[in-house]
Amino acid sequence: MVERIVGAVSAEPKLSRRKLSQQVCEWLDWRDPLGRLREMNARKALLELERRGVVVLPAARSVQNFKGGTEKAQPLPAIEVAKVECRFEELGAVEIVAVGGQNRQESRTWRRLMEEHHYLGAGKLRGAQLRYLIRSPVQGLLGGLSFSAGTRRLACRDQWIGWSEPAIRANLQRVVCNSRFLIGPGVKVPNLASHVLSQILQRISADWQERYGYEPVLVETFVDGERFGGVCYRAANWERVGQTAGRAEGFQNGKVSTGKKEVYVYALRPDARQVLCREPEDRLKLRGKSAGKGDWVEQELAGARIFDGRLRRRMYRVTRNFAAQAQALVPQAGNGSEAEVRGTYRFFQNRRVTMEGLLKGHVEATVERARDHAVVLSVQDTTFLNYTAHSPEGAGPIGTKKDSSVGLVLHGTVAFSLAGTPLGVLDAQCWARDPEQAGKREKRKQLPIEEKESVKWLRSYRAVAEAQRLCPNTMFVSVGDRESDIYELFDEAARSPNGPKLLVRAERTRHRKTLDGAGSENHEYLWERMKKEPVAGHRKVHIPKKPARPERKAKIEVRYASVLLRPPNDSKLQPVQVWAVYALEVDHGPEVTEPLEWMLLTTVPVSSFDDADQRLRWYTLRWGIELFHRIIKSGCRVEDRLLDDTESLMKCLAVDLIVAWRIHLLMKASRETPDVPCTGFFEEDEWKVLHAVVRNEPPPETTPSLQTVVRMMAKLGGFLGRKRGSEPGMITLWRGLIRLNAMVAGARAALRHIAYQSGGPP
């Protein structure tokens, strides 16, 4: 779109800004609910693009209208406001007349009325607006009032509504502000003001919908408590919800408040709060490979649902600091700046920042990378974050009753290529368990899946389905361990033929049964059934090292078959057709106390030994998420974050997830694509400083390979590379990255000092 705008201005230099705004609206089909072009919205967007230096707009033209030009100097016509003192019953009929945009005489009357008699004057009504005059057929002009766009941020009102940031952005237009209300100073009629308010509230929804095409559901207003008591609003059943945060010394943006004001609201329909709290469906979008400019942080987070410009800049700084100061806590990541540390803490405490909003841009970048692959494995797994040593507000139990551990549960879904390269996070669910529900496992069997913790597997599958929707040429396979062996997951996959596939390791203790025929009695246990299948072949599987298990190569025999899974006895779900791959370790030594035995269930067809062997290799890539969780805990030290509440911890975790993926990718890329230039991960001054320190010689003229730079960086962290073909691991990379960023910061500071001393530019 930017290229199109630049092309239009270049092709027609005398193009007016109004015409350009209309063209942009037509290109984007940008219209209001009544079908009219959103010309002013496009004008604001174009001005913002010009402010950022993205486009150069045609010169603005001055246009004379009834508010400016020669008429601007003309005095407003005199108006006569009624002077009457009587009871309300004696006043007679009261008319509320809408001031039309084309009726200049009424507009001038309303403006003159406010300028002369309202203590704030006519002012500038912001956004959508309606104005009214209050008249009596007998007495004449009694007063006026107006409504305009609702206030963007109002703490007491927002707390009363209880809406989230996405709901605010979607529904704020349905809040209107009674910005002016005036009964003429000569009008002394009790109950007139509350009567006018009652009458206008009965018609404002219809008038607003007729003018703008949508229905407001809440009206707000501000009452200066030092001047007025707000009696008429209370008499008209308005509700006081709090005060504004007026400051006598002014705000950071330079504006000075006129003092605290009382805030009143009126719901135009009984379900106003429910309507305003409805969040729009925020579906993933294709962003294009060229999305985002700047460094990798800005490119990765270009689609983050953080819309305030200041918060976005803070988000970029926090992510850069976390990535540069690996294993550093928040105060250390602030680079010695108290302001930076305070800003980071405020960022995580800001209610407009959410974990989902921070991750959304990274998820869309992950989907964009996944489009380049024929098959993507979306591995999901659960880990626990222990905060017992410094328990934040809202933490829940994560261990047994004996150890009394508290913390958070993290269920992550990471996309991997078939080479094991982490493409990014597709979903991250984080929550604190309810202490009241601890130890009630027996009751959970009676609950629907939506009320169980097991619903995490379905939510992850649905998140992957969103990615699948955007990648029709890529097959996503949701991979899970034995905990994911729940029948509802297979049922969901069976009802979504165009959705992701499944690859799940079956849980033997569940004694899963299969159906061999149409009758419900014709069944047998899955394990017994698969042992009857002939051995299709043998293969070797690498078993990684664990604390109680040495690394080894296991020889396994492989069987496969198509099976019809029987639903649980108390379930109304239908049988599901899947393929089973049964792998059993054979010819192992006596030191192997627990031979490998896998029963994999998949919705990807298996018709040969090669297919079965491929599904086994896919499942072995599930260990990549265990390494990813290790990076989060040991590398990012998420369990050492000292934040006061779990909401802040979750937002901090979102940044750590992105940083952990970046380090994981660096480690894998240096092994799988060692010969690519290092510029995809390192800036020029970074690899040059690294080369100067490690090699103690001037940097080469050609850019070194990624593997070369990664090995040099790992040496700073203690990597020796003695074994033939060995590559640096996670710990040495973290340590090396810490030292490298410190060296680069020192080098940049030294160059600035030298430039300052020499009088040259910094």
Side-chain angles (χ1 to χ4, degrees), residues 359-427:
L359 282 174
K360 207 77 171 186
H362 170 68
V363 172
E364 290 179 346
T366 300
V367 172
E368 197 62 50
R369 287 185 286 269
R371 286 165 60 86
D372 296 332
H373 299 268
V375 178
V376 171
L377 305 178
S378 53
V379 184
Q380 53 174 320
D381 196 17
T382 304
T383 189
F384 299 94
L385 307 178
N386 194 327
Y387 294 103
T388 306
H390 39 84
S391 177
E393 180 183 354
I398 58 172
T400 62
K401 288 186 177 180
K402 293 182 179 180
D403 60 22
S404 302
S405 299
V406 297
L408 297 173
V409 185
L410 172 64
H411 186 77
T413 304
V414 181
F416 292 91
S417 70
L418 293 184
T421 302
L423 304 177
V425 178
L426 286 175
D427 182 54

Coordinates of all heavy atoms in Angstrom, one line a residue, residues 359-427:
L359 N 2.9 -11.9 22.3 CA 3.3 -13.1 21.5 C 2.7 -13.1 20.1 O 3.2 -13.8 19.2 CB 2.9 -14.4 22.2 CG 3.8 -14.8 23.4 CD1 3.2 -16.0 24.1 CD2 5.2 -15.1 22.8
K360 N 1.6 -12.3 19.9 CA 0.9 -12.5 18.6 C 1.8 -12.2 17.4 O 1.7 -12.9 16.4 CB -0.3 -11.5 18.6 CG -1.5 -11.9 17.8 CD -2.2 -13.0 18.4 CE -3.5 -13.3 17.7 NZ -4.4 -14.3 18.5
G361 N 2.6 -11.1 17.5 CA 3.5 -10.8 16.4 C 4.5 -11.9 16.1 O 4.7 -12.3 14.9
H362 N 5.0 -12.5 17.2 CA 6.0 -13.6 17.0 C 5.3 -14.8 16.4 O 5.9 -15.5 15.5 CB 6.6 -14.0 18.3 CG 7.4 -15.2 18.3 ND1 8.6 -15.4 17.7 CD2 7.1 -16.5 18.9 CE1 9.0 -16.6 17.8 NE2 8.2 -17.3 18.6
V363 N 4.0 -15.1 16.8 CA 3.3 -16.2 16.2 C 3.1 -16.0 14.7 O 3.2 -17.0 13.9 CB 1.9 -16.4 17.0 CG1 1.1 -17.5 16.3 CG2 2.2 -16.8 18.4
E364 N 2.7 -14.8 14.3 CA 2.5 -14.6 12.9 C 3.8 -14.7 12.1 O 3.8 -15.2 11.0 CB 1.9 -13.2 12.7 CG 0.4 -13.1 13.2 CD -0.2 -11.8 13.0 OE1 0.5 -10.8 12.8 OE2 -1.4 -11.7 13.2
A365 N 4.9 -14.3 12.7 CA 6.2 -14.5 12.1 C 6.6 -16.0 12.0 O 7.1 -16.4 11.0 CB 7.3 -13.7 12.9
T366 N 6.2 -16.7 13.0 CA 6.4 -18.2 13.0 C 5.6 -18.8 11.8 O 6.1 -19.7 11.1 CB 6.0 -18.8 14.3 OG1 6.7 -18.2 15.3 CG2 6.1 -20.3 14.3
V367 N 4.3 -18.4 11.7 CA 3.5 -18.9 10.6 C 4.1 -18.6 9.2 O 4.1 -19.4 8.3 CB 2.1 -18.3 10.7 CG1 1.3 -18.7 9.4 CG2 1.4 -18.9 11.9
E368 N 4.7 -17.4 9.1 CA 5.3 -17.0 7.8 C 6.5 -17.9 7.5 O 6.7 -18.3 6.4 CB 5.8 -15.5 7.9 CG 6.1 -14.9 6.6 CD 4.9 -14.8 5.7 OE1 3.8 -14.4 6.1 OE2 5.0 -15.3 4.5
R369 N 7.3 -18.2 8.6 CA 8.4 -19.2 8.3 C 7.9 -20.6 8.0 O 8.5 -21.3 7.2 CB 9.3 -19.2 9.6 CG 10.1 -17.9 9.8 CD 11.1 -18.1 10.9 NE 10.4 -18.0 12.2 CZ 10.2 -16.8 12.9 NH1 10.7 -15.7 12.4 NH2 9.6 -16.8 14.1
A370 N 6.8 -21.0 8.6 CA 6.3 -22.3 8.4 C 5.8 -22.5 7.0 O 5.8 -23.6 6.5 CB 5.1 -22.6 9.4
R371 N 5.4 -21.4 6.3 CA 4.9 -21.5 4.9 C 6.0 -22.0 3.9 O 5.7 -22.5 2.8 CB 4.4 -20.2 4.4 CG 3.1 -19.8 5.1 CD 2.8 -18.3 4.9 NE 2.7 -18.0 3.5 CZ 1.6 -18.1 2.7 NH1 0.5 -18.5 3.2 NH2 1.6 -17.7 1.5
D372 N 7.2 -22.0 4.3 CA 8.3 -22.5 3.5 C 8.6 -24.0 3.6 O 9.5 -24.5 2.9 CB 9.6 -21.7 3.8 CG 9.5 -20.2 3.5 OD1 8.7 -19.9 2.6 OD2 10.2 -19.4 4.2
H373 N 7.8 -24.6 4.5 CA 8.1 -26.1 4.7 C 6.8 -26.9 4.3 O 5.7 -26.4 4.5 CB 8.4 -26.3 6.2 CG 9.6 -25.6 6.6 ND1 10.9 -26.1 6.6 CD2 9.8 -24.3 7.1 CE1 11.8 -25.3 7.1 NE2 11.1 -24.1 7.4
A374 N 7.1 -28.1 3.8 CA 6.0 -29.0 3.4 C 5.3 -29.6 4.7 O 4.1 -29.8 4.7 CB 6.5 -30.1 2.5
V375 N 6.1 -29.9 5.7 CA 5.6 -30.5 6.9 C 6.2 -29.7 8.1 O 7.4 -29.4 8.1 CB 6.0 -32.0 7.1 CG1 5.5 -32.5 8.4 CG2 5.4 -32.8 5.9
V376 N 5.4 -29.3 9.1 CA 5.8 -28.6 10.3 C 5.2 -29.4 11.5 O 4.0 -29.7 11.5 CB 5.3 -27.2 10.3 CG1 5.6 -26.6 11.7 CG2 6.0 -26.4 9.2
L377 N 6.1 -29.7 12.4 CA 5.7 -30.4 13.6 C 5.5 -29.4 14.7 O 6.4 -28.7 15.1 CB 6.8 -31.4 14.0 CG 7.2 -32.5 13.0 CD1 8.3 -33.3 13.6 CD2 6.0 -33.3 12.5
S378 N 4.2 -29.3 15.2 CA 3.9 -28.4 16.3 C 3.8 -29.2 17.5 O 2.9 -29.9 17.8 CB 2.5 -27.7 16.0 OG 1.5 -28.7 15.7
V379 N 4.9 -29.2 18.3 CA 5.1 -30.0 19.5 C 4.5 -29.2 20.7 O 4.9 -28.1 20.9 CB 6.5 -30.3 19.7 CG1 6.7 -31.3 20.9 CG2 7.1 -31.0 18.4
Q380 N 3.7 -29.9 21.5 CA 3.1 -29.3 22.7 C 3.5 -30.1 23.9 O 3.5 -31.3 23.9 CB 1.6 -29.1 22.6 CG 0.8 -30.3 22.2 CD -0.7 -30.0 22.3 OE1 -1.2 -29.4 23.2 NE2 -1.4 -30.6 21.3
D381 N 3.8 -29.4 25.0 CA 4.2 -30.0 26.2 C 4.0 -29.0 27.4 O 3.9 -27.8 27.2 CB 5.7 -30.4 26.1 CG 6.0 -31.5 27.2 OD1 5.1 -32.1 27.8 OD2 7.2 -31.6 27.5
T382 N 4.0 -29.6 28.6 CA 3.7 -28.8 29.8 C 4.9 -28.8 30.7 O 5.6 -29.8 30.8 CB 2.5 -29.4 30.6 OG1 1.4 -29.4 29.7 CG2 2.2 -28.5 31.8
T383 N 5.2 -27.7 31.3 CA 6.3 -27.5 32.3 C 5.8 -26.7 33.4 O 4.8 -25.9 33.2 CB 7.6 -27.0 31.7 OG1 8.6 -27.1 32.6 CG2 7.4 -25.5 31.3
F384 N 6.4 -26.7 34.5 CA 6.0 -26.0 35.7 C 7.1 -25.0 36.1 O 8.3 -25.3 36.1 CB 5.7 -26.9 36.9 CG 4.6 -27.9 36.6 CD1 4.9 -29.2 36.1 CD2 3.3 -27.6 36.8 CE1 3.9 -30.1 35.8 CE2 2.3 -28.4 36.5 CZ 2.6 -29.7 36.0
L385 N 6.7 -23.8 36.4 CA 7.6 -22.7 36.8 C 7.4 -22.5 38.3 O 6.4 -22.2 38.8 CB 7.2 -21.4 36.1 CG 7.2 -21.5 34.5 CD1 6.8 -20.2 33.9 CD2 8.5 -22.0 34.0
N386 N 8.5 -22.7 39.0 CA 8.5 -22.8 40.5 C 8.9 -21.4 41.0 O 10.0 -20.9 40.8 CB 9.4 -23.8 41.0 CG 9.2 -24.1 42.5 OD1 8.9 -23.3 43.3 ND2 9.4 -25.4 42.9
Y387 N 8.0 -20.8 41.8 CA 8.2 -19.5 42.4 C 8.0 -19.6 43.9 O 7.6 -18.6 44.6 CB 7.3 -18.4 41.8 CG 7.5 -18.1 40.4 CD1 6.7 -18.6 39.4 CD2 8.6 -17.4 40.0 CE1 6.9 -18.4 38.0 CE2 8.9 -17.1 38.7 CZ 8.0 -17.6 37.7 OH 8.3 -17.4 36.4
T388 N 8.3 -20.7 44.5 CA 8.1 -20.9 45.9 C 9.0 -20.0 46.8 O 8.5 -19.5 47.8 CB 8.4 -22.4 46.3 OG1 7.6 -23.3 45.5 CG2 8.0 -22.7 47.8
A389 N 10.2 -19.8 46.3 CA 11.1 -19.0 47.1 C 10.7 -17.5 47.2 O 11.0 -16.8 48.2 CB 12.5 -19.0 46.5
H390 N 10.0 -17.0 46.2 CA 9.5 -15.6 46.2 C 8.1 -15.6 45.6 O 7.9 -15.1 44.5 CB 10.5 -14.7 45.5 CG 11.1 -15.3 44.2 ND1 10.4 -15.3 43.0 CD2 12.2 -16.0 44.0 CE1 11.1 -15.9 42.1 NE2 12.2 -16.3 42.7
S391 N 7.2 -16.1 46.3 CA 5.8 -16.4 45.8 C 5.2 -15.1 45.4 O 4.9 -14.2 46.2 CB 5.0 -17.1 46.8 OG 3.7 -17.3 46.4
P392 N 4.8 -14.9 44.1 CA 4.1 -13.7 43.7 C 2.6 -13.8 44.0 O 2.1 -14.9 44.3 CB 4.3 -13.6 42.2 CG 4.5 -15.1 41.8 CD 5.1 -15.8 43.0
E393 N 1.9 -12.7 44.0 CA 0.5 -12.7 44.2 C -0.2 -13.4 43.1 O 0.0 -13.2 41.9 CB -0.1 -11.3 44.3 CG -1.6 -11.2 44.5 CD -2.0 -9.7 44.5 OE1 -1.2 -8.8 44.4 OE2 -3.3 -9.5 44.5
G394 N -1.1 -14.4 43.4 CA -1.8 -15.2 42.4 C -1.2 -16.5 42.1 O -1.8 -17.3 41.3
A395 N 0.0 -16.9 42.6 CA 0.6 -18.1 42.3 C -0.3 -19.3 42.9 O -0.9 -19.1 43.9 CB 2.0 -18.2 42.8
G396 N -0.2 -20.4 42.2 CA -1.0 -21.6 42.7 C -0.1 -22.8 42.9 O 1.1 -22.8 42.6
P397 N -0.7 -23.9 43.5 CA 0.1 -25.1 43.7 C 0.6 -25.8 42.5 O -0.2 -25.8 41.5 CB -0.9 -26.0 44.5 CG -2.2 -25.5 44.1 CD -2.1 -24.0 43.9
I398 N 1.8 -26.3 42.4 CA 2.3 -27.0 41.3 C 2.9 -28.3 41.7 O 3.3 -29.1 40.8 CB 3.4 -26.2 40.6 CG1 4.6 -25.8 41.5 CG2 2.8 -24.9 40.0 CD1 5.7 -25.2 40.8
G399 N 3.0 -28.6 42.9 CA 3.5 -29.9 43.4 C 2.6 -30.7 44.2 O 1.3 -30.5 44.2
T400 N 3.1 -31.5 45.1 CA 2.3 -32.3 46.0 C 1.9 -31.4 47.2 O 2.5 -30.4 47.5 CB 3.0 -33.6 46.4 OG1 4.2 -33.2 47.1 CG2 3.3 -34.4 45.2
K401 N 1.1 -32.0 48.1 CA 0.7 -31.3 49.3 C 1.9 -31.2 50.3 O 2.1 -30.3 51.1 CB -0.5 -31.9 50.0 CG -1.8 -31.7 49.3 CD -2.9 -32.3 50.1 CE -4.3 -32.1 49.4 NZ -5.4 -32.6 50.2
K402 N 2.8 -32.2 50.2 CA 3.9 -32.3 51.1 C 4.9 -31.2 50.8 O 5.4 -30.5 51.7 CB 4.6 -33.6 51.0 CG 3.7 -34.8 51.5 CD 4.5 -36.1 51.4 CE 3.6 -37.3 51.9 NZ 4.3 -38.6 51.8
D403 N 5.3 -31.0 49.6 CA 6.3 -29.9 49.3 C 5.8 -28.5 49.2 O 6.5 -27.6 49.3 CB 7.1 -30.3 48.0 CG 6.2 -30.3 46.8 OD1 5.1 -29.7 46.8 OD2 6.6 -31.0 45.8
S404 N 4.5 -28.4 49.1 CA 3.8 -27.0 49.1 C 4.4 -26.1 48.1 O 4.5 -24.9 48.4 CB 3.9 -26.5 50.5 OG 3.3 -27.3 51.4
S405 N 4.9 -26.6 47.0 CA 5.4 -25.7 45.9 C 4.3 -24.9 45.3 O 3.2 -25.4 45.1 CB 6.2 -26.5 44.9 OG 7.2 -27.2 45.5
V406 N 4.6 -23.6 44.9 CA 3.7 -22.8 44.2 C 4.4 -22.2 43.0 O 5.6 -22.0 43.0 CB 3.2 -21.6 45.1 CG1 2.4 -22.2 46.3 CG2 4.3 -20.8 45.6
G407 N 3.6 -21.8 42.0 CA 4.1 -21.3 40.8 C 3.1 -21.2 39.7 O 1.9 -21.1 40.0
L408 N 3.5 -21.4 38.5 CA 2.7 -21.3 37.3 C 2.8 -22.5 36.5 O 3.9 -23.2 36.5 CB 3.0 -20.0 36.5 CG 2.8 -18.7 37.1 CD1 3.3 -17.6 36.2 CD2 1.3 -18.4 37.4
V409 N 1.8 -22.8 35.7 CA 1.8 -23.9 34.7 C 2.0 -23.3 33.3 O 1.2 -22.4 33.0 CB 0.5 -24.8 34.8 CG1 0.7 -26.0 33.9 CG2 0.3 -25.2 36.2
L410 N 2.9 -23.8 32.6 CA 3.1 -23.3 31.2 C 3.0 -24.5 30.2 O 3.6 -25.5 30.3 CB 4.6 -22.7 31.1 CG 5.0 -22.4 29.6 CD1 4.1 -21.3 29.1 CD2 6.5 -22.0 29.6
H411 N 2.0 -24.3 29.3 CA 1.8 -25.3 28.3 C 2.2 -24.6 26.9 O 1.4 -23.7 26.5 CB 0.4 -25.8 28.3 CG 0.1 -26.9 27.3 ND1 0.5 -28.2 27.5 CD2 -0.4 -26.9 26.0 CE1 0.2 -29.0 26.5 NE2 -0.4 -28.2 25.6
G412 N 3.3 -25.0 26.4 CA 3.8 -24.3 25.2 C 3.6 -25.2 23.9 O 3.6 -26.5 24.0
T413 N 3.5 -24.6 22.8 CA 3.5 -25.3 21.5 C 4.5 -24.6 20.6 O 4.4 -23.4 20.3 CB 2.1 -25.2 20.8 OG1 1.1 -25.7 21.7 CG2 2.1 -26.0 19.5
V414 N 5.5 -25.4 20.2 CA 6.6 -24.8 19.4 C 6.7 -25.6 18.1 O 6.5 -26.8 18.0 CB 8.0 -25.0 20.1 CG1 9.1 -24.5 19.3 CG2 8.0 -24.4 21.5
A415 N 6.8 -24.8 17.0 CA 6.9 -25.4 15.6 C 8.3 -25.7 15.3 O 9.2 -24.9 15.5 CB 6.3 -24.4 14.6
F416 N 8.5 -26.9 14.7 CA 9.8 -27.4 14.3 C 9.7 -27.9 12.9 O 8.7 -28.4 12.4 CB 10.3 -28.6 15.2 CG 10.6 -28.2 16.6 CD1 9.6 -28.3 17.6 CD2 11.9 -27.8 16.9 CE1 9.9 -28.0 18.9 CE2 12.2 -27.5 18.3 CZ 11.2 -27.6 19.2
S417 N 10.8 -27.6 12.1 CA 10.9 -28.2 10.8 C 11.3 -29.7 10.9 O 11.7 -30.1 12.0 CB 11.9 -27.4 10.0 OG 13.3 -27.7 10.5
L418 N 11.3 -30.4 9.8 CA 11.7 -31.8 9.9 C 13.2 -32.0 10.2 O 13.6 -33.1 10.5 CB 11.3 -32.5 8.6 CG 9.8 -32.7 8.4 CD1 9.5 -33.5 7.1 CD2 9.1 -33.3 9.5
A419 N 13.9 -30.9 10.1 CA 15.4 -30.9 10.4 C 15.6 -30.6 11.9 O 16.7 -30.6 12.4 CB 16.1 -30.0 9.5
G420 N 14.5 -30.3 12.6 CA 14.6 -30.0 14.0 C 14.8 -28.5 14.3 O 15.1 -28.1 15.5
T421 N 14.8 -27.7 13.3 CA 15.0 -26.2 13.5 C 13.7 -25.6 14.1 O 12.6 -25.8 13.6 CB 15.2 -25.5 12.1 OG1 16.4 -26.1 11.5 CG2 15.5 -24.0 12.3
P422 N 13.9 -24.9 15.2 CA 12.7 -24.3 15.8 C 12.2 -23.1 15.0 O 13.0 -22.1 14.8 CB 13.2 -23.9 17.2 CG 14.7 -23.7 17.1 CD 15.1 -24.7 16.0
L423 N 11.0 -23.1 14.6 CA 10.5 -22.0 13.7 C 9.8 -20.9 14.6 O 9.7 -19.8 14.1 CB 9.4 -22.6 12.7 CG 10.0 -23.7 11.8 CD1 8.8 -24.2 10.9 CD2 11.1 -23.2 11.0
G424 N 9.5 -21.3 15.8 CA 8.9 -20.3 16.7 C 7.8 -20.9 17.6 O 7.4 -22.0 17.4
V425 N 7.2 -20.1 18.4 CA 6.1 -20.5 19.3 C 4.8 -20.2 18.6 O 4.5 -19.1 18.1 CB 6.2 -19.7 20.6 CG1 5.0 -20.0 21.5 CG2 7.5 -19.9 21.3
L426 N 3.9 -21.2 18.6 CA 2.6 -21.1 18.0 C 1.5 -20.8 19.1 O 0.5 -20.3 18.8 CB 2.2 -22.4 17.3 CG 2.9 -22.5 15.9 CD1 2.6 -23.9 15.3 CD2 2.6 -21.4 14.9
D427 N 1.8 -21.3 20.3 CA 0.8 -21.1 21.4 C 1.5 -21.2 22.7 O 2.4 -22.0 22.9 CB -0.3 -22.1 21.3 CG -1.4 -21.9 22.3 OD1 -1.9 -20.8 22.4 OD2 -1.7 -22.9 23.1

